[in-house]
DNA sequence: CGCCGCAAATTGATATACTAGTATGGTCAA
DNA sequence: TTGACCATACTAGTATATCAATTTGCGGCG
């Protein structure tokens, strides 16, 4: 990279009309598609921690060029899902043991602040949204559809951030939740766990509906405290998945 | 993108030896350099909100190809510093007014959890690190070097996250702090503000040194509460910088 | 004045080639 | 046998040229 004194040069020169359009809908690019495919594969452990990846091979498998694959891998590396070693290789990142408790701390801190605000300003319509999600979860739990259940679980927490008016917090929560969820995938499915989750969601919903700020906080903390994976146990069963 | 049944195909086939090496030092790539240059220019308002950017022009100005510039812009867009409109253009993102209070909430929640843990487990050596930073800040405040002062300010907060054992939280804090800092750059420099910051840092340091968890929390909240920019006032003075 | 359509501009994606670090595996010497 | 060393293959990083897809802006037409 050549030296250049002022990188902000040409500030006024071009000064052409800038896109006045607002947000718009970002269309789904090839890079997005590749990203989500890899994201799902990693989260579902179809690509286990430590697995070697290659831009070239992935590009061939997906029938695309290296460019979008590369952009997808870069996004994954920012999210801590892959580790890129320049000029050497790329691997699905092993789960850093220390990251799990840290992720739990972040999640508790942010979900606490969010649910408290939600309990303060929620409208009746907002509560109805939560009810709709809970209803779907009940049905999915009865069917035993764990995958769809998990999607609705995410929807529940996302809805709370939207009610609170903190949509950006959900973005942060998603990234930290990934590490937790990845570890939880390694645990054995507990019988009746989905029913417990639904019950906890109902408690949170009720506290929000009654505008009980402190109660909503407690219900959320209880909910989050129940899902901490036993890292030590996992580490002994899957030693090569952690580092 | 062609359809493909199993994106995780070839899981066992290649199974070649994966980079056994640990972390290593990621060397600084061209894309990294471009990213940091643009990052600094945007944060310093040398590239003001709303300014149009072009991959091609930036590439020419920096003397590099479009590839690394493109990667840098993608990273910036994830951080909310630029908005990319496909097939239309890229602009330095205007500051979303709603993002400021949200960023403050996130920062308070995470810094609270962090400083509390730091106050619990800090060693004498850790406190010395904080003292060293504070000493440098005193000197820089006396010199009136606001730029270097700000760097040490970041170092102070980063050090607390390291003491708490939550390095990942600092990564999150950096991204949310950017929006706040960008808005603060628009405020007039307040006389003696740096001295106030130093005093507040000292209060935080003292609480940590005495292992006063609750006191550390209060000191941090007081510190963070003092730096909330007056969004409304800014919006009237720089209407085209917000949206 | 308003609508339509075309040309220009810009990002998205592809293909290819080359560069520069990195790991591998084998050779050779202690 | 063990250790260091070196040639080689391999991979991500960058460069470049080109085309595709889409939006924007402008000019002309009704």
């Amino acid at each position: 990279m050549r030296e250049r004194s002022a990188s902000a040069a040409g500030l006024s020169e071009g000064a052409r009309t800038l896109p006045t359009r607002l947000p718009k809908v970002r269309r789904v690019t090839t890079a997005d598609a590749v990203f989500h495919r890899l994201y799902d594969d990693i989260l579902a452990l179809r690509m286990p921690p430590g697995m070697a990846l290659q831009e070239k091979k992935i590009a061939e498998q997906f029938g695309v060029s290296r460019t979008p694959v590369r952009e997808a891998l870069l996004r994954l590396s920012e999210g801590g899902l892959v580790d890129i070693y320049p000029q050497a290789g790329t691997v699905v990142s092993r789960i850093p043991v220390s990251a799990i408790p840290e992720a739990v701390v972040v999640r508790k801190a942010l979900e606490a602040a969010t649910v408290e605000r939600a309990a303060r300003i929620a409208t009746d319509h907002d509560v109805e949204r939560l009810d709709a999600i809970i209803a779907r979860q009940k049905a999915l739990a009865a069917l035993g559809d764990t995958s769809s259940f998990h999607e609705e679980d995410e929807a529940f927490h996302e809805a709370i951030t939207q009610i609170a008016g903190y949509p950006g917090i959900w973005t942060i929560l998603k990234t930290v939740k990934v590490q937790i969820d990845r570890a939880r995938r390694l645990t054995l499915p507990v019988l009746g766990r989905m029913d417990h989750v639904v019950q906890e969601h109902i408690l949170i919903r009720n506290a929000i509906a009654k505008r009980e700020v402190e109660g909503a906080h407690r219900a959320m903390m209880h909910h989050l405290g129940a899902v901490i994976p036993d890292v030590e146990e996992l580490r002994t069963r899957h030693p090569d998945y952690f580092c």
Side-chain angles (χ1 to χ4, degrees), chain A:
Chain A
M1 180 168 165
R2 273 208 313 267
E3 258 318 305
R4 206 78 173 213
S5 53
S7 45
L11 191 154
S12 53
E13 73 162 55
R16 41 176 292 290
T17 58
L18 32 98
T20 53
R21 286 307 221 160
L22 281 194
K24 279 283 181 183
V25 276
R26 276 208 62 164
R27 49 181 274 272
V28 177
T29 67
T30 306
D32 288 327
V34 174
F35 171 81
H36 284 110
R37 292 279 291 271
L38 295 176
Y39 184 95
D40 289 340
D41 282 344
I42 292 174
L43 205 61
L45 299 177
R46 285 188 292 273
M47 289 175 166
M51 176 181 176
L53 301 177
Q54 293 176 31
E55 293 181 356
K56 202 175 176 181
K57 275 192 181 175
I58 296 173
E60 289 171 359
Q61 287 178 4
F62 286 178
V64 300
S65 70
R66 268 181 67 193
T67 308
V69 172
R70 183 173 171 71
E71 290 175 2
L73 289 175
L74 286 170
R75 283 177 62 186
L76 289 169
S77 81
E78 286 187 57
L81 291 179
V82 304
D83 293 326
I84 300 176
Y85 300 95
Q87 277 78 39
T90 303
V91 298
V92 178
S93 68
R94 292 179 169 78
I95 304 171
V97 283
S98 66
I100 300 294
E102 186 174 359
V104 172
V105 168
V106 172
R107 199 178 169 193
K108 283 188 173 179
L110 294 183
E111 297 247 30
T114 305
V115 79
E116 287 179 9
R117 178 124 211 272
R120 279 198 188 84
I121 66 175
T123 66
D124 291 344
H125 177 259
D126 289 331
V127 177
E128 286 172 17
R129 282 180 55 195
L130 297 180
D131 285 334
I133 296 172
I134 291 173
R136 283 196 292 273
Q137 284 197 292
K138 277 183 182 173
L140 292 169
L143 291 171
D145 187 342
T146 55
S147 178
S148 299
F149 184 87
H150 183 256
E151 285 179 26
E152 290 296 330
D153 186 87
E154 299 233 316
F156 182 81
H157 290 272
E158 182 179 9
I160 292 177
T161 63
Q162 290 174 349
I163 292 170
Y166 296 149
I169 288 185
W170 176 242
T171 307
I172 302 173
L173 281 176
K174 263 193 297 184
T175 66
V176 299
K177 247 172 64 63
V178 169
Q179 301 297 341
I180 301 174
D181 290 340
R182 208 150 66 114
R184 291 214 315 137
R185 288 273 180 140
L186 297 172
T187 64
L188 298 174
V190 178
L191 195 66
R193 203 188 68 77
M194 284 191 284
D195 296 313
H196 278 96
V197 169
V198 171
Q199 289 305 315
E200 291 164 6
H201 280 187
I202 290 175
L203 292 179
I204 295 171
R205 174 259 179 223
N206 288 341
I208 293 176
K210 294 188 210 162
R211 277 70 178 174
E212 293 175 354
V213 175
E214 186 57 33
H217 178 113
R218 277 201 312 275
M220 179 62 83
M221 289 305 102
H222 176 257
H223 178 49
L224 295 181
V227 295
I228 300 178
D230 185 348
V231 179
E232 280 312 310
E233 200 262 348
L234 287 174
R235 199 171 184 174
T236 55
R237 283 194 18 227
H238 303 275
D240 50 338
Y241 283 6
F242 295 84
C243 66

